Amino acid sequence: MNTDVIADYLTRVRNAVKAGHRVVEVPASNLKKEITKILFDQGYILSYKFEDDKGHQGVIKIALKYDKLTKDPVIKKIQRISKPGLRKYASSQEMPRILNGLGIAIVSTSAGVMTGKQAQSQNVGGEVLCYVY
């Protein structure tokens, strides 16, 4: 039984990128589905598919994205910020900028899971889940 399901999700994606896999399967949850949608909308993954027939919650199949010429992965680093032992929160005014705006921070707010820029524009703060660049 995992205590930190988000860290497990990020680790599976990170390991698949380092190993050069095209597709990674992750056990599904509503929070992981929202994070996957954000990664797709921001262009970090190629596609995703939710399969509900396997297990209780199902699985998420994520097709990873690589550069066509150099074969380098689009996700250079994916890092967990707020951990179960030490939660990190940020208000809308102090939302972190990742690589001077080139990366994204994924934030869990009262209005749902969104990027740090979206949270700033909607003037909501929340728990900083992870950085992706």
Side-chain angles (χ1 to χ4, degrees):
M1 194 72 198
N2 269 338
T3 55
D4 191 3
V5 293
I6 301 169
D8 177 59
Y9 170 85
L10 298 176
T11 301
R12 286 177 191 237
V13 171
R14 186 181 316 114
N15 288 344
V17 165
K18 287 195 188 244
H21 293 298
R22 295 282 174 209
V23 177
V24 61
E25 284 190 8
V26 181
S29 74
N30 289 335
L31 183 60
K32 292 181 203 175
K33 288 179 182 178
E34 293 300 316
I35 293 173
T36 305
K37 288 177 187 174
I38 289 174
L39 290 176
F40 177 72
D41 291 339
Q42 298 296 319
Y44 287 102
I45 60 176
L46 199 57
S47 65
Y48 62 92
K49 185 164 75 169
F50 302 137
E51 293 184 353
D52 295 331
D53 57 344
K54 296 181 183 174
H56 296 288
Q57 286 259 326
V59 296
I60 306 171
K61 283 192 174 183
I62 302 171
L64 301 172
K65 193 174 188 179
Y66 294 93
D67 190 348
K68 288 187 172 95
L69 299 176
T70 62
K71 305 290 189 223
D72 288 337
V74 173
I75 297 176
K76 302 287 185 233
K77 191 166 187 181
I78 187 164
Q79 178 183 12
R80 178 82 158 115
I81 300 302
S82 183
K83 299 178 173 83
L86 181 62
R87 301 284 185 192
K88 300 278 185 178
Y89 296 94
S91 68
S92 63
Q93 290 83 25
E94 55 195 33
M95 205 53 70
R97 284 175 49 117
I98 314 307
L99 282 183
N100 210 15
L102 294 177
I104 62 167
I106 298 179
V107 184
S108 176
T109 68
S110 58
V113 180
M114 59 184 73
T115 65
K117 290 178 186 174
Q118 292 169 336
Q120 272 184 325
S121 67
Q122 294 183 18
N123 199 22
V124 291
E127 182 181 355
V128 181
L129 298 176
C130 62
Y131 295 158
V132 182
Y133 55 90

